[in-house]
Short mmCIF file of all heavy atoms in Angstrom, two decimals:
data_model
loop_
_atom_site.label_atom_id
_atom_site.label_comp_id
_atom_site.label_asym_id
_atom_site.label_seq_id
_atom_site.Cartn_x
_atom_site.Cartn_y
_atom_site.Cartn_z
N THR E 397 8.44 -14.20 23.09
CA THR E 397 8.48 -15.36 22.20
C THR E 397 7.67 -16.52 22.78
O THR E 397 7.07 -17.30 22.02
CB THR E 397 9.93 -15.81 21.93
OG1 THR E 397 10.66 -14.70 21.41
CG2 THR E 397 9.99 -16.96 20.95
N LYS E 398 7.63 -16.64 24.08
CA LYS E 398 6.85 -17.73 24.71
C LYS E 398 5.37 -17.66 24.36
O LYS E 398 4.66 -18.66 24.45
CB LYS E 398 7.04 -17.72 26.22
CG LYS E 398 8.39 -18.28 26.68
CD LYS E 398 8.41 -18.45 28.18
CE LYS E 398 9.66 -19.18 28.63
NZ LYS E 398 9.66 -19.44 30.08
N GLN E 399 4.90 -16.48 23.97
CA GLN E 399 3.50 -16.32 23.57
C GLN E 399 3.29 -16.64 22.09
O GLN E 399 2.15 -16.67 21.62
CB GLN E 399 3.05 -14.88 23.83
CG GLN E 399 3.12 -14.43 25.28
CD GLN E 399 2.77 -12.96 25.42
OE1 GLN E 399 1.85 -12.46 24.77
NE2 GLN E 399 3.51 -12.26 26.26
N MET E 400 4.38 -16.87 21.36
CA MET E 400 4.29 -17.10 19.91
C MET E 400 4.85 -18.50 19.61
O MET E 400 6.04 -18.67 19.33
CB MET E 400 5.05 -16.01 19.17
CG MET E 400 4.48 -14.62 19.43
SD MET E 400 5.31 -13.27 18.54
CE MET E 400 6.83 -13.11 19.48
N LEU E 401 4.00 -19.49 19.69
CA LEU E 401 4.44 -20.88 19.74
C LEU E 401 5.03 -21.39 18.42
O LEU E 401 5.73 -22.40 18.41
CB LEU E 401 3.27 -21.78 20.16
CG LEU E 401 2.61 -21.44 21.50
CD1 LEU E 401 1.52 -22.45 21.83
CD2 LEU E 401 3.65 -21.37 22.63
N LYS E 402 4.76 -20.72 17.32
CA LYS E 402 5.24 -21.19 16.02
C LYS E 402 6.32 -20.28 15.44
O LYS E 402 6.69 -20.40 14.28
CB LYS E 402 4.07 -21.29 15.04
CG LYS E 402 3.00 -22.31 15.40
CD LYS E 402 1.86 -22.32 14.40
CE LYS E 402 0.88 -23.45 14.67
NZ LYS E 402 0.17 -23.30 15.94
N ILE E 403 6.84 -19.35 16.26
CA ILE E 403 7.73 -18.30 15.77
C ILE E 403 9.03 -18.30 16.55
O ILE E 403 9.06 -18.54 17.75
CB ILE E 403 7.03 -16.93 15.88
CG1 ILE E 403 5.77 -16.91 14.99
CG2 ILE E 403 7.97 -15.79 15.49
CD1 ILE E 403 4.90 -15.69 15.18
N ALA E 404 10.13 -18.03 15.85
CA ALA E 404 11.46 -17.95 16.47
C ALA E 404 11.95 -16.50 16.44
O ALA E 404 11.45 -15.67 15.67
CB ALA E 404 12.44 -18.85 15.73
N ALA E 405 12.94 -16.21 17.28
CA ALA E 405 13.51 -14.86 17.33
C ALA E 405 15.03 -14.94 17.35
O ALA E 405 15.62 -15.92 17.84
CB ALA E 405 13.01 -14.12 18.57
N PHE E 406 15.66 -13.90 16.83
CA PHE E 406 17.12 -13.85 16.84
C PHE E 406 17.63 -13.71 18.27
O PHE E 406 17.09 -12.95 19.07
CB PHE E 406 17.61 -12.64 16.03
CG PHE E 406 17.55 -12.85 14.54
CD1 PHE E 406 16.48 -12.39 13.81
CD2 PHE E 406 18.57 -13.51 13.88
CE1 PHE E 406 16.42 -12.57 12.43
CE2 PHE E 406 18.53 -13.70 12.51
CZ PHE E 406 17.45 -13.23 11.78
N SER E 407 18.72 -14.43 18.55
CA SER E 407 19.33 -14.36 19.88
C SER E 407 20.52 -13.41 19.83
O SER E 407 21.63 -13.79 19.45
CB SER E 407 19.78 -15.74 20.34
OG SER E 407 20.50 -15.62 21.56
N ASP E 408 20.29 -12.16 20.22
CA ASP E 408 21.41 -11.23 20.37
C ASP E 408 22.24 -11.61 21.60
O ASP E 408 23.39 -11.18 21.72
CB ASP E 408 20.93 -9.79 20.45
CG ASP E 408 19.85 -9.56 21.50
OD1 ASP E 408 19.26 -10.55 21.98
OD2 ASP E 408 19.57 -8.39 21.82
N ASP E 409 21.66 -12.43 22.47
CA ASP E 409 22.39 -12.89 23.66
C ASP E 409 23.64 -13.66 23.26
O ASP E 409 24.75 -13.35 23.69
CB ASP E 409 21.49 -13.79 24.52
CG ASP E 409 20.23 -13.08 24.99
OD1 ASP E 409 20.32 -12.31 25.95
OD2 ASP E 409 19.17 -13.31 24.39
N ILE E 410 23.47 -14.68 22.41
CA ILE E 410 24.63 -15.49 22.02
C ILE E 410 25.51 -14.72 21.04
O ILE E 410 26.75 -14.82 21.07
CB ILE E 410 24.22 -16.87 21.46
CG1 ILE E 410 25.46 -17.79 21.39
CG2 ILE E 410 23.53 -16.76 20.10
CD1 ILE E 410 25.14 -19.22 21.05
#
Side-chain angles (χ1 to χ4, degrees):
T397 304
K398 283 189 173 184
Q399 299 175 41
M400 299 182 285
L401 303 183
K402 296 178 173 66
I403 297 171
F406 283 97
S407 173
D408 52 345
D409 301 281
I410 193 171

